[in-house]
Amino acid sequence: MRSLIAVMALFLGLTASASEKPVAKIEFDRSTEAIHRGAEVVLNVCMGCHSLRYMRYQDLRFAGIAEPEITKLRGEHAPDDSLLSAMDDAAASESFGRIPPDQSTLAKAREGGANYIYSFVTSFALESDGSVVNRMKPETRMPDVLGYATSSGTDRAAIEGQIRDAAVFLEWASDPRAGERRTLGRYVIAYLILVTVLLYFVKRRVWKGIPS
Amino acid sequence: MGKRLVEWVDRRFPLTTFIKHELTEYPTPRNLSIWWTFGFFAGFMLVLQIVSGVFLAMHYKPDATLAFASVEHIMRDVNYGWLLRYIHSTGASAFFIVIYIHMARTLYYGSFRAPRELMWWTGQVLLLSLMATAFMGYLLPWGQMSYWGAQVITNLFRATPFIGDQVVIWLRGDFVVGDATLQRFFALHFLFPFLICGLVMIHLVALHFVKSSNPSGINLADKDNIPFHPYFTAKDFYGLGIFLIIFFYFVFFHPEYFIEEANNIPANPLVTPPHIVPEWYFLPFYAILRAIPDFAGGVVAMTLSIMVFALMPYLDRCKIPGGSRYRPVYRAMFLIFAIDIVALSYVGYEPPSETLAVVGQVATAIYFSLFLLLPFASKWEDQWLRKRGLPKPVVEMMESEQRQRAAGWR
């Protein structure tokens, strides 16, 4: 949709003015390993507050994560349990004033997807008055997780790598059937091209017999 | 055996006569271009939407607390549910693209002219029904854009004189869009496609009575007609192949292209999205609504902008056939209209700003001026072209049409 609008803008010689801090364009590693690492980050860290209520533990198999690894990730939970946060809604509302947004559709729900999530989480900055504010979305209630993690002495670059993996995992989780869809799509398009070529020859042959 | 069965049926039902009359002996102008295939595509999209929609309805829950989750259930848990849902959501956009091209062809080639006014008007009713169906269907995923889009559009009925507020409450079944609205929209979204099927039948009966128009814009002599089957069945299915390649490319590789990001957030009556936009196919009309500073005036202008098409057979007073083909003035007006629609769509999509408000108002003015100007421009063009001298084949075609008219339409 965005690119369609951009074409329209070109058509009119108009440009839209940006009002927010732009979403960074990052090269993500989208391998199964990265999604697996991201799953560990999301399940162990993000899910402290956020849920992924439309995801089930067994859905992780669609990402190509092996069965024993899934068993490790789900721990006490049943395979078809939803990925619910450890914090219940009442406690979350009390701590943050609202329920933290569900992450199962998060990457689809934000323009920019994984880029948005990574940019958002890494956009917290110390202001001159000593408060920590998110430059991309100042009104957010989310604390600076990157800041907390680095304050305990962990290397910032390593944490940023984890956030990238988490963003890739959330991108996958918002559309877990994407891999299956693209695979099937290639066959469908190939079949349609074949059929269309045949239909073209049928059409040509039929029209040869046209009465004049 | 087969022959005897057909004979048995034919004595009780006009099967063979029907196939002859509507397909194997139905005369079709041989010069129909690719633009005449879009009616067939529209019929195909209607069937595809009904089939995918019925299967979606088997898993969907029209309940404000369950709707969003049931769509995610379809996307994640139902076998090939993602395929059904993406066919249906992409199908809505594809349907409108097809219908708009179908309408653009009718306008460009002047196919709405006598004797095809009733085809054009049943088409207009079909367009309105399709818009209503699409609008109600868009509420069903119960995302933020669904919810607030429905809130804004139902609110437009507040412009009804005297009983505006009551009409809005009656439509919503509540003071705001809520569970009652969702459930009735689901019921109507399920019903409307079958009404559309009935209307399509009327559209087709009219078509098979007056026969297809064609790029020359004039009724052709018998020798220029060929039977619909096998010539146009072969051509239409070849066209359908190309259409489906493009359609399924979007379904499988860019299915979220036509879905607003905000619609992946569950509806929340307490949080208004910063920028509410309707689906792309409503954008030009939405821009016209916003271009008029007065609320009731905007609603009237928007309604007029859709309904004005019905007047085309009377607004176009040029007697020269062929729509844009032999008419440079009309062709220029069509082109300006097309650019104007694109401009309005852009203005409708972007958040309001002072510059865009002016662009929107100018584009709206151009939109209506073109329709207002048409009766005079077409009359003048008719005289100008005749004075300049029409090409011989056109004169011959007009004379042949006059002879046909004298002999009665058929």
Side-chain angles (χ1 to χ4, degrees):
Chain A
M1 195 67 205
R2 265 279 138 194
S3 45
L4 185 74
I5 299 302
V7 171
M8 284 183 184
L10 277 176
F11 211 110
L12 287 168
L14 293 167
T15 44
S17 59
S19 55
E20 295 165 346
K21 180 176 181 266
V23 173
K25 273 247 184 284
I26 300 140
E27 286 297 313
F28 286 105
D29 171 11
R30 290 186 163 88
S31 62
T32 308
E33 292 74 38
I35 294 175
H36 187 184
R37 289 197 302 270
E40 281 169 0
V41 176
V42 170
L43 267 64
N44 296 325
V45 185
C46 307
M47 273 179 61
C49 305
H50 294 273
S51 293
L52 288 83
R53 67 182 67 244
Y54 306 121
M55 277 282 294
R56 299 172 201 279
Y57 284 95
Q58 63 187 7
D59 292 345
L60 292 168
R61 71 184 191 278
F62 297 125
I65 301 175
E67 207 56 53
E69 300 294 332
I70 296 175
T71 315
K72 241 184 268 173
L73 282 168
R74 73 180 160 89
E76 303 283 291
H77 297 279
D80 63 349
D81 274 357
S82 294
L83 272 67
L84 293 180
S85 163
M87 191 186 280
D88 64 49
D89 289 355
S93 302
E94 202 175 309
S95 314
F96 303 108
R98 61 163 294 186
I99 300 161
D102 188 271
Q103 288 189 326
S104 32
T105 56
L106 192 66
K108 283 200 297 193
R110 300 289 184 277
E111 212 174 283
N115 280 309
Y116 178 96
I117 295 169
Y118 177 82
S119 309
F120 170 77
V121 178
T122 53
S123 283
F124 289 93
L126 191 63
E127 296 292 319
S128 50
D129 63 355
S131 61
V132 175
V133 171
N134 190 299
R135 291 265 168 87
M136 236 171 90
K137 201 179 171 193
E139 71 276 18
T140 186
R141 306 275 172 79
M142 183 168 152
D144 178 14
V145 283
L146 179 62
Y148 288 142
T150 46
S151 65
S152 59
T154 325
D155 178 30
R156 186 178 165 103
I159 306 284
E160 281 181 353
Q162 288 188 1
I163 297 172
R164 268 199 296 278
D165 291 340
V168 167
F169 172 75
L170 291 178
E171 182 186 74
W172 169 82
S174 75
D175 191 5
R177 300 303 189 98
E180 184 189 357
R181 197 178 70 229
R182 290 194 198 101
T183 314
L184 181 61
R186 277 183 213 109
Y187 287 110
V188 170
I189 299 287
Y191 171 79
L192 282 172
I193 289 174
L194 182 73
V195 168
T196 306
V197 169
L198 292 177
L199 283 170
Y200 169 71
F201 286 116
V202 169
K203 188 249 163 192
R204 225 173 57 160
R205 190 165 167 176
V206 166
W207 280 66
K208 257 189 190 152
I210 202 163
S212 50
Chain B
M1 175 63 205
K3 203 170 162 233
R4 277 182 55 201
L5 183 67
V6 171
E7 275 169 10
W8 188 90
V9 173
D10 274 337
R11 276 194 295 277
R12 289 151 182 88
F13 179 88
L15 181 67
T16 310
T17 338
F18 181 83
I19 292 173
K20 266 190 192 162
H21 188 256
E22 313 306 334
L23 287 168
T24 53
E25 284 174 15
Y26 173 64
T28 316
R30 66 169 69 197
N31 60 343
L32 296 192
S33 66
I34 185 75
W35 304 112
W36 267 261
T37 313
F38 283 78
F40 175 69
F41 294 165
F44 179 85
M45 283 318 302
L46 179 62
V47 173
L48 189 64
Q49 289 300 81
I50 289 177
V51 172
S52 58
V54 165
F55 281 99
L56 285 172
M58 293 177 191
H59 303 281
Y60 172 78
K61 294 184 172 63
D63 179 315
T65 55
L66 303 171
F68 189 88
S70 76
V71 173
E72 284 303 317
H73 164 70
I74 289 168
M75 295 290 288
R76 290 159 194 268
D77 303 334
V78 174
N79 289 333
Y80 295 100
W82 53 266
L83 180 57
L84 287 172
R85 199 257 173 146
Y86 279 148
I87 284 178
H88 203 72
S89 66
T90 313
S93 285
F95 208 157
F96 272 97
I97 291 170
V98 165
I99 287 294
Y100 285 160
I101 294 177
H102 189 61
M103 285 176 68
R105 188 271 294 160
T106 310
L107 288 170
Y108 186 86
Y109 288 106
S111 310
F112 52 80
R113 290 146 45 97
R116 298 188 180 81
E117 299 97 323
L118 273 176
M119 290 221 62
W120 183 236
W121 293 331
T122 48
Q124 172 97 45
V125 180
L126 275 166
L127 174 69
L128 292 177
S129 320
L130 190 67
M131 284 177 155
T133 312
F135 162 66
M136 289 186 292
Y138 194 53
L139 181 68
L140 305 186
W142 204 244
Q144 272 291 67
M145 214 47 101
S146 301
Y147 183 87
W148 289 97
Q151 193 83 291
V152 169
I153 306 280
T154 48
N155 191 50
L156 297 180
F157 289 88
R158 208 158 46 81
T160 317
F162 309 117
I163 50 164
D165 289 334
Q166 283 87 334
V167 169
V168 173
I169 294 168
W170 178 73
L171 283 174
R172 291 176 179 163
D174 199 340
F175 296 105
V176 290
V177 171
D179 193 58
T181 325
L182 177 60
Q183 199 142 357
R184 65 184 54 187
F185 274 30
F186 176 68
L188 294 175
H189 183 71
F190 205 110
L191 168 70
F192 267 46
F194 300 100
L195 301 181
I196 289 177
C197 284
L199 275 165
V200 167
M201 289 299 162
I202 297 174
H203 199 62
L204 285 178
V205 169
L207 172 70
H208 283 224
F209 187 66
V210 296
K211 311 287 187 284
S212 277
S213 66
N214 67 79
S216 77
I218 199 151
N219 295 322
L220 297 172
D222 282 342
K223 69 176 173 61
D224 296 315
N225 286 318
I226 49 177
F228 187 87
H229 179 79
Y231 298 106
F232 283 97
T233 34
K235 191 171 177 171
D236 282 355
F237 275 101
Y238 163 53
L240 183 68
I242 295 171
F243 172 74
L244 286 183
I245 292 171
I246 301 166
F247 175 69
F248 277 109
Y249 171 76
F250 276 99
V251 168
F252 283 106
F253 299 103
H254 295 286
E256 296 281 331
Y257 189 74
F258 293 109
I259 300 174
E260 282 294 323
E261 281 86 358
N263 223 28
N264 290 307
I265 304 169
N268 185 345
L270 301 176
V271 180
T272 318
H275 178 44
I276 302 170
V277 279
E279 287 282 79
W280 68 266
Y281 35 79
F282 293 136
L283 287 174
F285 313 111
Y286 186 59
I288 289 173
L289 171 77
R290 291 203 302 189
I292 312 289
D294 176 59
F295 174 69
V299 176
V300 170
M302 187 185 71
T303 316
L304 270 180
S305 70
I306 303 169
M307 296 308 296
V308 71
F309 289 108
L311 296 176
M312 277 307 287
Y314 300 110
L315 294 180
D316 183 9
R317 297 201 295 170
C318 180
K319 293 280 176 279
I320 294 161
S324 300
R325 191 157 179 188
Y326 308 108
R327 296 170 53 187
V329 177
Y330 185 75
R331 188 164 57 225
M333 287 173 85
F334 179 87
L335 214 76
I336 296 169
F337 185 70
I339 296 169
D340 196 53
I341 289 270
V342 175
L344 281 168
S345 306
Y346 175 77
V347 173
Y349 186 79
E350 288 296 320
S353 72
E354 267 176 45
T355 337
L356 279 181
V358 176
V359 176
Q361 278 165 354
V362 171
T364 304
I366 293 174
Y367 188 100
F368 286 110
S369 319
L370 283 170
F371 285 103
L372 287 174
L373 212 67
L374 186 58
F376 310 104
S378 58
K379 190 85 193 164
W380 177 83
E381 187 180 25
D382 186 280
Q383 288 164 354
W384 172 62
L385 286 174
R386 278 170 205 271
K387 209 185 292 172
R388 210 180 58 163
L390 288 164
K392 205 165 167 248
V394 181
V395 180
E396 277 170 11
M397 282 199 298
M398 286 168 72
E399 281 167 356
S400 94
E401 190 172 61
Q402 244 157 19
R403 276 196 302 275
Q404 280 190 6
R405 207 175 299 209
W409 276 117
R410 299 196 74 188

